[in-house]
């Protein structure tokens, strides 16, 4: 059954993406930094919680290369580290000495080593310990930090072999990695083979019998291929780019829907770029625009977005015009101010649909305004996903978090950015990417993501079907005052204009109770995983406003985001079982007495 233990990774594997916050009170306690919660947080969402492997690596590097009073932060390239250094210096109120060190691991010595050894370079930023929060801000907002798998590899390559004096040119031991891999594959295979409430969500103390291991060995081979082989990382990335742009490798038995969801006849996988996180793709889109614009200007954030999208636009470059309601009246205001010359913008960023209110912007009208007033359009399609919606014709760049439903398994961070070949800005953008883009997506993460995403189409379709059943259940409940979902939204017409022929309305649902105390009772009672993230193969719930905006609850109310909003991301469980779990929790909430 789902773990209700604070701080447990979801799922219970070394590189999990989510973490358990099982009650409303625990979520508040986490946001307020209360020890009874924070002391138990041994894991967390990777952009907010630096993985223990990376923390350990940082301490080793500080010990060997740091100066007195310094701390460090590790990035996957020297260029990214320099961006972090610039951010720290710009945002600090005092003059600082911030150093950048580049470290590299050995390349494979022979053909045999290519399966387990890869040459890797990191950029390490050293700074005074008291400005660590600034460095952490960059890590969180940019999404450009190293992954836990990369940290694990770098640590072994630079320190473990060295400490054991194995050879003058240290080679990483892979025993620990293979052990972690075996555990992850076992959990993953059980989750996908038996996606019920009880079987797809494992407890923190789960055990796998020898019989289960033998039973799933064949499944693992058929579903995932052999264990990770680093020499195939390049091929894995090519497969991912093709999958994202709709040119599917039929040898992987993709569903017909996947083949139909082509991004466009002229789109090539060479216009698809991979990133270490979805936020990194949004950050880089903004970074590119700042650098290709003759004169960088403010951007518009259209609609209430995920928190760090707005932070990127606020903290990097000239600033942001925030049109948080993201409705037709907001577009009227934008058009009027552009026409009068009161507003001159570099770009418009939006989510399609938005997280957590599931609003869909009028992309056709936005595109017309962009062409008329010469600004870029960047669309984050994560919540909709490209099997359900086709936004590329209306955007110059399309970003997505592949961490979510594209992967599903909650065990790898990744992002993508797609350039629209029909964009009037395409040549300028492409030239910049050709000159400056770095592939920072770690090889092992690419191999995991390629395997995870092979059944993306099948999973997406099932999630869409179960989500609509869930919405109908919530709509019928007398306790619920409002349900947010693209199919029943006031902006449904704009979603339908971009919906693919075989697409659905996604797996994300938000809802409000008429009585706040019933929201708390429901959330505390519901027997599901509870924590950050979305798009996982298991249903995942959170009190969204509390988790993402606790310090600004009054402010977000201006944009119709209620402090008691609950968000659920639907998974692959049996629909009847999931609906039963939700109904039982609604019954508990109904019986909860109101207290002063």
């Amino acid at each position: 059954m789902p773990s209700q233990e604070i701080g447990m990774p979801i799922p219970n594997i070394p590189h999990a993406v989510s973490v358990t916050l099982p009650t409303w009170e625990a979520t508040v306690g986490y946001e307020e930094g209360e020890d009874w919660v924070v002391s138990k947080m041994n894991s967390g969402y990777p952009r907010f919680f630096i993985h223990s492997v990376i923390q350990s690596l940082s301490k080793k590097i500080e010990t060997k290369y740091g100066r007195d009073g310094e701390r460090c932060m590790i990035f996957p390239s020297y260029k990214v580290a320099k961006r972090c250094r610039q951010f720290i210096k710009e945002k600090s109120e005092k003059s600082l000495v911030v150093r950048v060190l580049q470290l590299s691991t050995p390349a494979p010595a022979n053909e045999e080593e290519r399966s387990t050894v890869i040459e890797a370079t990191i950029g390490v930023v050293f700074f005074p310990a008291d400005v660590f929060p600034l460095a952490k801000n960059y890590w969180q907002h940019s999404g450009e930090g190293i992954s836990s798998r990369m940290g694990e590899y770098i640590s072994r390559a630079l320190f473990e072999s060295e400490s054991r004096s194995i050879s003058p040119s240290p080679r990483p031991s892979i025993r620990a990695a293979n052990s972690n891999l075996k555990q992850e594959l076992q959990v993953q295979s059980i989750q996908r083979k038996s996606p019920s409430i009880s079987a797809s969500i494992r407890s923190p103390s789960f055990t796998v019998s020898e019989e289960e291991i033998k039973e799933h060995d064949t499944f693992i081979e058929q579903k995932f291929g052999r264990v990770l082989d680093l020499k195939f990382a390049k091929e894995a990335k090519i497969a991912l780019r093709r999958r994202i742009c709709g040119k599917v490798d039929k040898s992987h038995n993709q569903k017909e829907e996947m083949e139909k969801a082509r991004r466009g006849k002229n789109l090539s996988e060479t216009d698809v770029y991979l990133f270490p996180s979805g936020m990194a793709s949004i950050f880089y889109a903004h970074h590119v625009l700042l650098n290709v614009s003759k004169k960088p200007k403010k951007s518009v954030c259209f609609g209430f977005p995920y928190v760090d999208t707005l932070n990127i636009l606020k903290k990097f470059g000239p600033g942001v015009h925030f049109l948080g309601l993201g409705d037709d009246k907001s577009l009227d205001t934008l058009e009027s101010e552009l026409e009068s010359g009161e507003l001159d913008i570099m770009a418009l960023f939006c989510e399609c649909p938005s997280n957590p209110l599931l609003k869909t912007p009028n992309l056709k009208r936005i595109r017309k305004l962009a062409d008329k007033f010469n600004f870029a359009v960047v669309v984050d399609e994560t919540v909709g996903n490209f099997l359900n919606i086709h936004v590329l014709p209306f955007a110059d760049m399309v970003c997505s978090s592949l961490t979510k439903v594209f992967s599903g398994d909650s065990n790898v961070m990744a992002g993508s950015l797609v350039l629209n070949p029909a964009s009037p800005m395409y040549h300028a953008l492409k030239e910049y990417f050709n000159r400056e883009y770095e592939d920072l997506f770690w090889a092992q993460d690419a191999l995991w993501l390629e395997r995870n995403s092979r059944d993306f189409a099948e999973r997406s379709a099932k999630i869409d079907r179960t989500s609509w059943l869930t919405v109908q259940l919530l709509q019928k409940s007398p306790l619920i005052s409002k349900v947010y979902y693209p199919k029943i939204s006031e902006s449904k017409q704009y979603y339908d204009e971009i919906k693919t022929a075989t697409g659905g309305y996604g797996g994300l649902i938000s809802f409000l109770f008429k009585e706040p105390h019933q929201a708390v009772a429901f959330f505390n009672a519901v027997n599901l995983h509870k924590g950050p993230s979305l798009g996982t193969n298991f249903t995942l719930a959170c009190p969204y406003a509390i988790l993402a905006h606790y310090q600004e609850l009054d402010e977000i109310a201006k944009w119709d985001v209620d402090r008691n909003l609950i968000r659920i991301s639907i998974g692959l469980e049996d629909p009847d079982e999931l609906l039963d779990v939700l109904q039982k929790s609604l019954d508990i909430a109904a019986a909860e007495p109101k207290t002063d």
Side-chain angles (χ1 to χ4, degrees):
M1 298 303 291
S3 170
Q4 301 300 317
E5 184 176 342
I6 293 171
M8 287 303 299
I10 312 175
N12 188 29
I13 54 176
H15 302 287
V17 165
S18 191
V19 62
T20 303
L21 287 167
T23 65
W24 200 283
E25 294 79 8
T27 308
V28 171
Y30 172 73
E31 293 297 329
E32 292 191 346
E34 294 182 12
D35 185 67
W36 69 277
V37 179
V38 175
S39 63
K40 299 174 184 176
M41 299 296 291
N42 296 316
S43 62
Y45 194 75
R47 286 193 303 102
F48 292 85
F49 183 94
I50 299 177
H51 195 282
S52 58
V53 166
I54 301 173
Q55 292 184 45
S56 175
L57 175 59
S58 297
K59 290 178 181 177
K60 292 175 183 177
I61 290 176
E62 286 165 3
T63 299
K64 186 168 183 177
Y65 300 103
R67 299 171 182 169
D68 289 344
E70 283 187 333
R71 291 190 66 178
C72 78
M73 191 156 282
I74 308 166
F75 295 95
S77 80
Y78 186 75
K79 190 182 290 186
V80 175
K82 288 198 297 182
R83 286 202 283 268
C84 178
R85 176 176 64 184
Q86 180 181 358
F87 177 81
I88 293 172
K89 287 193 167 188
E90 286 179 354
K91 301 302 180 183
S92 176
E93 297 178 353
K94 57 184 178 180
S95 179
L96 300 174
V97 175
V98 183
R99 302 186 297 122
V100 176
L101 174 69
Q102 179 172 291
L103 297 172
S104 298
T105 65
N110 50 52
E111 184 63 25
E112 183 180 354
E113 282 197 347
R114 288 183 61 232
S115 293
T116 56
V117 177
I118 186 171
E119 185 175 15
T121 299
I122 56 173
V124 185
V125 184
F126 292 91
F127 44 81
D130 62 347
V131 297
F132 178 82
L134 278 178
K136 179 74 183 311
N137 277 345
Y138 185 87
W139 175 284
Q140 175 187 324
H141 300 331
S142 74
E144 293 186 313
I146 64 168
S147 75
S148 53
R149 286 190 183 90
M150 185 177 189
E152 196 173 59
Y153 182 91
I154 297 291
S155 185
R156 289 194 307 270
L158 293 183
F159 294 99
E160 192 171 304
S161 298
E162 178 184 86
S163 65
R164 294 177 183 176
S165 301
I166 291 176
S167 67
S169 299
R171 304 292 175 189
S173 164
I174 61 169
R175 183 177 299 171
N178 283 341
S179 175
N180 288 344
L181 171 65
K182 185 176 181 181
Q183 183 188 15
E184 288 196 57
L185 285 174
Q186 288 167 1
V187 175
Q188 194 176 61
S189 65
I190 293 170
Q191 287 175 342
R192 287 174 180 259
K193 190 166 186 177
S194 305
S196 66
I197 293 289
S198 59
S200 70
I201 307 174
R202 312 302 293 178
S203 70
S205 57
F206 79 92
T207 58
V208 182
S209 68
E210 288 299 319
E211 289 74 17
E212 285 180 302
I213 292 173
K214 290 177 182 178
E215 178 185 350
H216 294 299
D217 275 350
T218 301
F219 173 80
I220 292 169
E221 283 291 322
Q222 291 173 346
K223 175 66 182 72
F224 299 103
R226 290 196 169 273
V227 294
L228 297 182
D229 190 329
L230 291 178
K231 69 183 178 184
F232 293 123
K234 182 179 179 181
E235 287 76 9
K237 292 182 179 183
I238 292 172
L240 286 168
R241 293 188 188 99
R242 288 176 177 170
R243 197 163 295 159
I244 291 164
C245 76
K247 294 172 173 58
V248 179
D249 181 350
K250 295 181 181 179
S251 68
H252 286 162
N253 298 317
Q254 288 290 335
K255 296 293 182 181
E256 183 181 356
E257 291 94 326
M258 195 74 169
E259 187 66 23
K260 290 179 180 178
R262 291 184 179 275
R263 298 279 196 162
K265 293 180 180 179
N266 298 322
L267 185 64
S268 161
E269 62 263 30
T270 59
D271 289 322
V272 178
Y273 297 88
L274 299 175
F275 290 84
S277 69
M279 197 51 59
S281 70
I282 295 171
F283 175 82
Y284 200 75
H286 185 240
H287 173 78
V288 171
L289 290 171
L290 288 173
N291 282 276
V292 300
S293 299
K294 293 180 180 178
K295 181 182 178 183
K297 294 172 282 190
K298 288 185 177 182
S299 293
V300 164
C301 182
F302 189 79
F304 189 87
Y306 178 71
V307 56
D308 280 314
T309 297
L310 189 57
N311 278 327
I312 287 169
L313 301 181
K314 281 181 178 179
K315 297 183 180 183
F316 298 85
V320 63
H321 299 285
F322 184 32
L323 300 177
L325 294 177
D327 55 11
D328 288 338
K329 288 184 179 180
S330 300
L331 269 184
D332 291 341
T333 299
L334 176 62
E335 183 171 15
S336 174
E337 292 180 351
L338 289 169
E339 287 278 10
S340 68
E342 182 180 345
L343 205 60
D344 184 19
I345 61 174
M346 177 179 74
L348 181 147
F349 286 73
C350 64
E351 296 175 345
C352 193
S354 64
N355 175 17
L357 298 183
L358 288 308
K359 291 183 180 180
T360 305
N362 184 346
L363 289 182
K364 287 187 175 181
R365 185 178 174 191
I366 288 172
R367 181 71 259 170
K368 289 179 180 178
L369 291 176
D371 291 339
K372 183 176 181 180
F373 295 103
N374 194 31
F375 61 83
V377 178
V378 181
V379 179
D380 177 359
E381 67 176 8
T382 299
V383 173
N385 92 55
F386 65 81
L387 289 178
N388 288 329
I389 57 175
H390 186 43
V391 303
L392 189 66
F394 311 103
D396 299 283
M397 290 183 275
V398 176
C399 299
S400 188
S401 173
L402 306 179
T403 308
K404 310 304 191 296
V405 69
F406 186 81
S407 169
D409 280 303
S410 191
N411 65 1
V412 61
M413 294 280 284
S416 65
L417 186 154
V418 181
L419 294 180
N420 180 2
S423 161
M425 307 181 79
Y426 175 77
H427 294 295
L429 296 173
K430 189 70 173 178
E431 183 181 66
Y432 188 87
F433 271 83
N434 288 344
R435 186 175 70 250
E436 298 291 339
Y437 168 78
E438 297 179 291
D439 180 357
L440 304 176
F441 190 35
W442 179 237
Q444 291 168 309
D445 294 324
L447 289 163
W448 273 105
L449 184 63
E450 193 281 317
R451 286 164 170 78
N452 291 354
S453 61
R454 289 180 189 176
D455 61 352
F456 169 40
E458 180 182 353
R459 288 185 291 105
S460 178
K462 181 175 182 178
I463 288 169
D464 289 347
R465 291 192 295 270
T466 304
S467 296
W468 178 234
L469 294 174
T470 304
V471 168
Q472 291 174 301
L473 173 72
L474 294 170
Q475 284 182 306
K476 292 176 183 177
S477 172
L479 307 183
I480 304 297
S481 63
K482 187 166 185 178
V483 181
Y484 301 85
Y485 190 65
K487 191 172 183 177
I488 58 173
S489 170
E490 293 178 358
S491 60
K492 177 180 183 292
Q493 66 184 97
Y494 301 134
Y495 189 101
D496 288 343
E497 287 177 350
I498 57 174
K499 191 167 80 70
T500 62
T502 57
Y505 291 87
L508 201 64
I509 306 164
S510 297
F511 53 99
L512 285 173
F513 281 81
K514 293 176 182 176
E515 299 291 339
H517 76 280
Q518 292 177 335
V520 176
F522 170 88
F523 184 78
N524 290 350
V526 71
N527 194 20
L528 298 171
H529 270 313
K530 303 171 195 177
S533 197
L534 58 94
T536 50
N537 290 338
F538 44 84
T539 298
L540 187 61
C542 72
Y544 182 83
I546 299 296
L547 184 62
H549 297 281
Y550 186 72
Q551 305 300 329
E552 49 187 7
L553 293 174
D554 292 334
E555 175 65 25
I556 65 173
K558 299 175 185 177
W559 311 111
D560 292 342
V561 182
D562 192 282
R563 66 180 59 213
N564 297 303
L565 188 78
I566 292 176
R567 190 192 73 182
I568 57 174
S569 171
I570 301 300
L572 298 178
E573 297 90 352
D574 176 87
D576 291 336
E577 287 191 33
L578 176 59
L579 295 178
D580 183 59
V581 166
L582 294 171
Q583 184 60 59
K584 287 178 179 176
S585 304
L586 287 169
D587 294 342
I588 291 172
E592 182 72 13
K594 187 174 183 179
T595 58
D596 294 332

